[in-house]
Amino acid sequence: SAVISQKPSRDICQRGTSLTIQCQVDSQVTMMFWYRQQPGQSLTLIATANQGSEATYESGFVIDKFPISRPNLTFSTLTVSNMSPEDSSIYLCSVRTGGEGEQYFGPGTRLTVT
Amino acid sequence: QKEVEQDPGPLSVPEGAIVSLNCTYSNSAFQYFMWYRQYSRKGPELLMYTYSSGNKEDGRFTAQVDKSSKYISLFIRDSQPSDSATYLCAMSGSGAGSYQLTFGKGTKLSVIP
């Protein structure tokens, strides 16, 4: 397994501002992901954070809105840019370790945009 | 039709009951099937994962996959109040590039003492 921490755990932000969420893993991992969990909805993959190269974004998510950094194998950041109330959600960092079925999640960052 | 369907509940059972949680799916390419438990205001916790069809048991938890019916289940025996949480099913394909998990919406379970 993996121990994953996220900062901040929660925040309340004003419309039009940006927030950067940090994800730290206790071991080196190749695959790191960012998910969004909106109320009443399924968890949705935003992007795969690739170490040393640009992130790979899923349909409906763009780099200008959700820039991602991955400077090494234990750390990544997700920025939510130019926020609107529709961005209010829980943002989760996730890593894959071991076998293909082993994917673990951080505690999440609860974001409220007013 | 959504790729993964999961009854959101809520499901309320007395302590000691056997709980059955289920998901159906439409994508025959799914090969890995996971169950996560999520307590309120916490991240999802991986309970178990299964590859292809069959059963897997871990303590009070049993996961079943029936690929012919595109149906997966999680059974909880001797349920405890500490099992009260939202249970998420998730699934993915296999091989390079098959890293994206497709989730159900989750079933909220309450175990009443």
Side-chain angles (χ1 to χ4, degrees), chain B residues 31-42:
Chain B
Q31 295 283 353
Y32 284 90
F33 303 91
M34 302 83 167
W35 285 97
Y36 287 86
R37 177 175 63 193
Q38 187 172 25
Y39 292 113
S40 180
R41 300 183 179 275
K42 301 290 186 183

Side-chain angles (χ1 to χ4, degrees), chain B residues 23-55:
Chain B
C23 289
T24 59
Y25 64 95
S26 59
N27 189 343
S28 58
F30 289 145
Q31 295 283 353
Y32 284 90
F33 303 91
M34 302 83 167
W35 285 97
Y36 287 86
R37 177 175 63 193
Q38 187 172 25
Y39 292 113
S40 180
R41 300 183 179 275
K42 301 290 186 183
E45 171 194 4
L46 179 63
L47 284 175
M48 328 178 49
Y49 72 94
T50 311
Y51 175 72
S52 193
S53 285
N55 295 356

Side-chain angles (χ1 to χ4, degrees), chain B residues 74-97:
Chain B
L74 177 71
F75 297 96
I76 307 174
R77 292 183 299 280
D78 187 25
S79 56
Q80 303 295 310
S82 58
D83 295 327
S84 298
T86 297
Y87 289 80
L88 307 168
C89 66
M91 38 202 86
S92 70
S94 177

Side-chain angles (χ1 to χ4, degrees), chain A residues 59-82:
Chain A
S59 175
F61 298 96
V62 295
I63 187 170
D64 289 346
K65 177 66 176 177
F66 297 101
I68 287 171
S69 77
R70 178 89 191 269
N72 56 52
L73 292 176
T74 64
F75 186 80
S76 177
T77 66
L78 168 75
T79 299
V80 186
S81 303
N82 188 25

Side-chain angles (χ1 to χ4, degrees), chain A residues 9-50:
Chain A
S9 59
R10 61 191 307 156
D11 208 340
I12 301 173
C13 301
Q14 290 194 338
R15 181 195 301 258
T17 62
S18 298
L19 176 72
T20 296
I21 302 168
Q22 299 179 3
C23 176
Q24 180 75 53
V25 189
D26 68 338
S27 59
Q28 294 186 338
V29 295
T30 303
M31 306 205 75
M32 188 177 280
F33 311 95
W34 287 98
Y35 281 79
R36 182 171 73 181
Q37 186 175 30
Q38 294 183 306
Q41 301 299 316
S42 310
L43 271 79
T44 303
L45 179 64
I46 297 171
T48 302
N50 302 309

